[in-house]
Amino acid sequence: MKSSFLFRLTKADWFGPLLAVLITIVVIRSFSPNFLSAFNIQILLLAIAINVLIAFSQMIIIAIGQMNLSVGAIGGLSAVAFAGMVEVWGVPAPYAAIAALLAGMACGVANGVLISVTGISAFVITLATLSIYKGINLGITRAQPFYGIPDSVRELGTATVIGPVPMLLLPTLIAAGLLWFLLARLPAGRFILAVGGNEHAASLSGISVRRTVILAHAISGVLAASAGMLLVARLQIGQPSIGDDWLILSFAAPVIGGAVLAGGHVSVAATFLGVVIVALITQALVLFSIDPFLVQVVLGSLILAAVGVNRLRQVRLTGGRT
């Protein structure tokens, strides 16, 4: 009975990433005794709080077998829209946040509609909308940041819940719970995975592929917008460059978490742990005074390694057939 439970545990999507997280912590701790100080833990959790939402915004698109190159542009546009509304128009922060989320959703819906109606690859459509959304961002800001962030938002970016645990982590945990519930318990989540697994079969079974694709992109837009606004609270400035460096990270964490790029299989918990792995490695490079540009090399290497492992797993499951 116990051995059967352990066997099932090792087969869980999140087991491998969790083991990698624990090993990484032990290794870094052995070289840097101050690694688990309260300050470093807070910095680590702040990065995780935002990066998890970025990863989720790409993960939900990978679930339907597509990709969203405009994740960063949507997050950046929503961030400056939020900051601009509170500074220029004096809109209360809660209302500005709702409007920014709706803007992110609208961008996502636009992606989904264009992909569904035209039949053009999501790669091409989101590459084009990336440029459009970034152009709107620069048009709004004139490439200048918004500094008039209200005190309530600034306090959110620096406040802690318990000890070094930042307040910014709470919205991320709520989003993770809701996303897990969607994919595991709701028909809409099953439709998303079904479309990613086999679009033709999903259509024959009565699932509206067009609506499902639009829904997935709308959720992606909301998650990207959430990440952008949390980053505004953390940086305490509406920077027009927000989102410019999100693309690699958005793919790295889901892939490390075992997501199948062809669609049909993703894991919320494993993607969360994939973000933790990336954050731990990034933090270690900073602690050891290693060139920060090496982070991009590490992320690319992690993606290649994760894709290789997933490919080997697929070959084993299919008995060597490709």
Side-chain angles (χ1 to χ4, degrees):
M1 185 76 174
K2 186 176 180 180
S3 61
S4 176
F5 172 75
L6 291 175
F7 178 77
R8 291 197 304 271
L9 186 66
T10 58
K11 291 296 182 180
D13 289 329
W14 50 263
F15 181 80
L18 178 61
L19 190 61
V21 167
L22 296 176
I23 292 173
T24 303
I25 290 175
V26 171
V27 171
I28 297 174
R29 179 70 174 78
S30 64
F31 285 99
S32 177
N34 295 326
F35 173 66
L36 294 180
S37 67
F39 176 75
N40 283 335
I41 291 175
Q42 183 176 1
I43 296 299
L44 187 66
L45 291 178
L46 281 170
I48 290 171
I50 295 168
N51 293 346
V52 164
L53 292 175
I54 297 170
F56 283 164
S57 68
Q58 191 68 256
M59 184 199 74
I60 196 69
I61 301 303
I62 292 175
I64 58 172
Q66 297 181 4
M67 60 181 65
N68 185 358
L69 303 185
S70 66
V71 162
I74 294 174
L77 178 58
S78 299
V80 299
F82 169 71
M85 280 187 282
V86 295
E87 177 181 323
V88 179
W89 293 344
V91 178
Y95 296 115
I98 293 172
L101 289 175
L102 292 175
M105 180 187 292
C107 291
V109 168
N111 285 348
V113 169
L114 288 171
I115 292 166
S116 300
V117 172
T118 65
I120 299 174
S121 164
F123 178 92
V124 175
I125 293 295
T126 57
L127 180 63
T129 56
L130 181 158
S131 180
I132 293 172
Y133 300 150
K134 187 62 182 178
I136 296 173
N137 178 334
L138 295 176
I140 293 173
T141 62
R142 303 297 180 185
Q144 298 298 317
F146 291 114
Y147 294 99
I149 307 302
D151 292 338
S152 59
V153 177
R154 293 174 182 269
E155 291 171 2
L156 176 64
T158 57
T160 57
V161 182
I162 301 174
V165 179
M167 186 74 73
L168 289 184
L169 191 60
L170 294 183
T172 300
L173 293 176
I174 293 171
L178 292 175
L179 198 55
W180 173 84
F181 186 74
L182 168 70
L183 294 174
R185 295 288 184 266
L186 296 182
R190 292 193 290 271
F191 293 167
I192 288 172
L193 295 175
V195 169
N198 190 319
E199 182 178 317
H200 182 64
S203 179
L204 290 177
S205 65
I207 296 173
S208 173
V209 174
R210 176 175 296 184
R211 290 180 182 176
T212 303
V213 168
I214 293 172
L215 173 64
H217 279 277
I219 295 171
S220 175
V222 170
L223 290 168
S226 301
M229 286 189 292
L230 290 189
L231 196 51
V232 169
R234 182 185 174 188
L235 299 176
Q236 303 190 359
I237 184 175
Q239 183 65 254
S241 62
I242 287 176
D244 289 355
D245 58 349
W246 287 9
L247 187 59
I248 295 297
L249 173 65
S250 73
F251 279 104
V255 171
I256 292 171
V260 176
L261 292 177
H265 180 81
V266 294
S267 171
V268 172
T271 298
F272 195 112
L273 291 169
V275 172
V276 176
I277 292 171
V278 173
L280 286 170
I281 294 174
T282 303
Q283 185 83 339
L285 293 176
V286 173
L287 287 175
F288 301 146
S289 300
I290 299 175
D291 193 333
F293 292 106
L294 189 61
V295 172
Q296 299 299 319
V297 176
V298 172
L299 286 179
S301 301
L302 285 173
I303 292 175
L304 286 175
V307 169
V309 170
N310 289 344
R311 180 61 176 168
L312 288 175
R313 182 191 301 172
Q314 183 181 3
V315 170
R316 288 181 59 187
L317 291 174
T318 58
R321 300 187 303 274
T322 58

